[in-house]
Structures are given as structure tokens and as C-alpha cells.
């Protein structure tokens, strides 16, 4: 398993992937950026037994429900990870839509996460809507000093 994510069971990994796919469809449209984000989550698990095509089929057929996936997440760590990954998927293509916000609110409730999780949403929204500023050291350098070839 990749060290990017804490050790969680294969069942929880599958549930997180399902939640990410449901997040991608929350606004009714799944974008290429959202698919790429889901693939990154899958790859970071480093579990060769996870089948992304099967996970998409489960969601599209209606067999993968948000409440069922949320119940499979046993630890606080896996629940928080599922929420953060769903948030990343929702933010992958554009600022959050009202339906994505509703999805995330429902997910937060189903995962029994504290209200402080809203701080993560605010941070993600800020990063998505504002250009990144130069780090302080680079911002203080003369323009020709910034150009390093």
C-alpha cells in the first residue's frame, strides 16, 4: 500500500472510491478532471485489487448508495479521508455547485463528521477561487532574480 494514505481496509478503500464517484455525479455532470481525481485516489491506494470500472458500474447501476458506502467506513480516519477525497473531486472542475454542496452536507452527516470539517471546505473554496500568491521570499525578489534557468 502507498504511504500517501493511512492504512485502511480494502472494503473501506472501495467505499471511498464509490463515494468519490458519487461526488463526481453530484452535479449531474462528470468531468474529465473529476475522473482524473478519482483515478489519482485509486492509484494512491496502491491496491491492485481495486477495479475502477466495476466501481463505476456499481454506482451507475444504483447498487452503490451513499448511505451504504458511508456505513462501511469504520474509523474516523477513513471517514475523514472519504470526505476530503469527495471534496477534492467536487472541486476538481469548478467551484462547488449547490447540488455538490448538498451532497457534501449529506455526506458529512452520514459520516458523522464534526462541524469543523466546514473549515476544510472553506480552504478548498479559497484555493479554487483565488490565484496563488508568490511565496514571501520569491515575492520580495527583483523580477530578474525570480527567473532561474
Amino acid at each position: 500500500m502507498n504511504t500517501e494514505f493511512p492504512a485502511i481496509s480494502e472494503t473501506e478503500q472501495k467505499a471511498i472510491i464509490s463515494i468519490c464517484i458519487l461526488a463526481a455525479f453530484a452535479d449531474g455532470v462528470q468531468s474529465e478532471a473529476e475522473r482524473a481525481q478519482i483515478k489519482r485516489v485509486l492509484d494512491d491506494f496502491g491496491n491492485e485489487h481495486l477495479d475502477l470500472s466495476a466501481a463505476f458500474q456499481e454506482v451507475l447501476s444504483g447498487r452503490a448508495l451513499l448511505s451504504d458506502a458511508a456505513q462501511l467506513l469504520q474509523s474516523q480516519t477513513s471517514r475523514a479521508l472519504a470526505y476530503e477525497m469527495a471534496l477534492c473531486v467536487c472541486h476538481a472542475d469548478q467551484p462547488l455547485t449547490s447540488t455538490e454542496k448538498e451532497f457534501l452536507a449529506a455526506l458529512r452527516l452520514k459520516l458523522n463528521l464534526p462541524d469543523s470539517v466546514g473549515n476544510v471546505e472553506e480552504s478548498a473554496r479559497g484555493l479554487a477561487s483565488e490565484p496563488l500568491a508568490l511565496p514571501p521570499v520569491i515575492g520580495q525578489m527583483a523580477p530578474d532574480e525570480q527567473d532561474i534557468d
Side-chain angles (χ1 to χ4, degrees):
M1 179 179 285
N2 191 321
T3 58
E4 292 279 325
F5 292 124
I8 57 174
S9 72
E10 185 171 316
T11 300
E12 289 177 312
Q13 291 175 8
K14 287 179 182 178
I16 291 170
I17 295 300
S18 292
I19 288 170
C20 287
I21 295 169
L22 290 164
F25 286 110
D27 62 357
V29 180
Q30 184 199 41
S31 71
E32 184 60 37
E34 290 169 326
R35 279 191 293 277
Q37 185 65 36
I38 294 166
K39 177 80 169 92
R40 261 187 301 254
V41 172
L42 179 85
D43 290 345
D44 284 344
F45 281 138
N47 184 339
E48 61 195 39
H49 302 291
L50 293 177
D51 183 352
L52 190 56
S53 296
F56 269 98
Q57 289 173 359
E58 288 283 314
V59 169
L60 292 172
S61 70
R63 292 185 306 246
L65 303 175
L66 184 60
S67 56
D68 294 341
Q71 287 180 350
L72 293 173
L73 300 172
Q74 299 300 307
S75 70
Q76 184 69 15
T77 299
S78 63
R79 290 190 299 272
L81 180 62
Y83 184 81
E84 289 179 20
M85 295 302 97
L87 183 63
C88 288
V89 169
C90 288
H91 274 283
D93 58 351
Q94 61 188 358
L96 294 180
T97 65
S98 61
T99 54
E100 287 172 324
K101 289 176 187 176
E102 290 169 14
F103 172 84
L104 291 168
L107 177 60
R108 189 171 54 243
L109 288 173
K110 289 183 186 308
L111 296 175
N112 196 28
L113 293 173
D115 290 338
S116 62
V117 170
N119 295 336
V120 173
E121 290 178 33
E122 289 299 320
S123 297
R125 186 178 308 119
L127 287 174
S129 64
E130 296 178 17
L132 294 177
L134 288 174
V137 174
I138 295 175
Q140 295 173 6
M141 294 170 61
D144 41 304
E145 289 177 352
Q146 293 177 16
D147 225 2
I148 301 172
D149 291 329

